[in-house]
Amino acid sequence: MAKLKQTLSFLGLSFGKEMTRYFIGVAVFAGLFALVYLWKGLGFLLIFPALAFLLYTYWFFTRYGAKRRARLDAYVAEFVELFTYFGVFVNDGFTVYNAIERIVDYASEDMKAHLRRLLEDIDNDKSVAPFVRFAAIFEDISIKEVMLSVYRIIDDGTNGLYIRQFQRLFGKLSDVRYAMDKERRLSTLDTMAFLPLAGSGIAMLALTLSLVEIMGGMLDVL
């Protein structure tokens, strides 16, 4: 439950409101179950609302994790794009601070807030702490390494060792992201290929249960 609250907070959602929505869904499925019971009594048809309720519960709670992963993936993808520009600005002679100021213009509204907070923290704290705090929003150790190399460029200059370290670490991060995106697209295609089989299985189950119901009715008549 604590993990769910943390995920909802990260997504900007209210725990109370989301639980209210879930229990409204529970009430709907309970009503559907009661209607089927009143219509057919204790029979195989009760399997359908029960199965639908289980699928609803699974979908309701797993979607938050999926949304969190999607947002974190979007953060990393945007980081890679923005700090590609950062590298260009630094190579052109901009200071780290000015290069970060420049990439703010290319950022999404959410990322702009994080970058502006980074700039404010740098104004008030000349240590590595602002860069570590900024890296923490991504939950990716590779980005922390990149941001540490960015901090070291401040003292080392744009022609020193740490600019090359930044380029190496950032290039590695970009390559990993490309490989992950490729793997994710292939996984999505595999899932889509499975859907027709799942649909056929559900159709066969419904047909089988219908035949059982018809045969049961015929036996009752006899």
Side-chain angles (χ1 to χ4, degrees):
M1 192 63 69
K3 186 176 181 180
L4 176 61
K5 289 182 178 179
Q6 183 182 16
T7 299
L8 291 174
S9 177
F10 174 79
L11 295 172
L13 300 173
S14 166
F15 177 79
K17 288 182 179 180
E18 293 304 308
M19 289 301 97
T20 299
R21 291 173 183 171
Y22 171 71
F23 286 116
I24 289 174
V26 171
V28 170
F29 282 104
L32 180 61
F33 190 89
L35 287 174
V36 174
Y37 174 76
L38 293 174
W39 177 40
K40 286 291 184 179
L42 289 173
F44 76 91
L45 288 178
L46 291 175
I47 294 174
F48 290 102
L51 181 60
F53 170 71
L54 292 176
L55 291 174
Y56 165 74
T57 299
Y58 175 79
W59 166 81
F60 192 91
F61 289 105
T62 57
R63 68 194 177 103
Y64 297 121
K67 285 183 177 180
R68 178 184 176 87
R69 287 191 298 273
R71 179 169 291 188
L72 288 172
D73 285 344
Y75 275 176
V76 176
E78 186 171 8
F79 176 89
V80 170
E81 179 182 357
L82 291 174
F83 276 79
T84 299
Y85 300 140
F86 171 87
V88 172
F89 288 131
V90 168
N91 285 328
D92 285 343
F94 285 81
T95 65
V96 167
Y97 188 92
N98 290 337
I100 295 174
E101 282 185 317
R102 286 299 187 98
I103 65 174
V104 170
D105 296 332
Y106 303 99
S108 65
E109 290 303 317
D110 198 15
M111 188 60 68
K112 279 181 181 178
H114 291 299
L115 289 171
R116 285 169 178 161
R117 191 174 302 117
L118 171 61
L119 291 171
E120 291 176 3
D121 288 345
I122 293 173
D123 286 333
N124 299 320
D125 185 352
K126 303 306 179 184
S127 72
V128 71
F131 297 87
V132 173
R133 282 194 293 269
F134 176 77
I137 69 173
F138 298 95
E139 299 185 357
D140 189 326
I141 190 65
S142 298
I143 293 181
K144 182 177 181 180
E145 293 174 347
V146 170
M147 292 308 298
L148 287 175
S149 69
V150 170
Y151 166 73
R152 289 170 181 145
I153 294 172
I154 296 175
D155 294 326
D156 193 50
T158 58
N159 295 315
L161 171 65
Y162 290 112
I163 185 62
R164 291 191 293 275
Q165 183 186 59
F166 164 79
Q167 292 167 344
R168 178 175 58 81
L169 291 172
F170 186 73
K172 182 179 178 181
L173 175 63
S174 300
D175 291 342
V176 170
R177 287 299 306 173
Y178 176 78
M180 289 177 61
D181 289 341
K182 182 179 179 179
E183 183 178 350
R184 188 178 298 108
R185 287 194 294 269
L186 291 174
S187 178
T188 301
L189 291 175
D190 290 340
T191 302
M192 292 176 66
F194 172 75
L195 290 178
L197 295 176
S200 299
I202 293 173
M204 290 297 295
L205 176 62
L207 179 60
T208 301
L209 293 176
S210 299
L211 290 174
V212 170
E213 177 74 7
I214 293 171
M215 292 175 67
M218 292 175 64
L219 290 175
D220 289 340
V221 172
L222 296 176

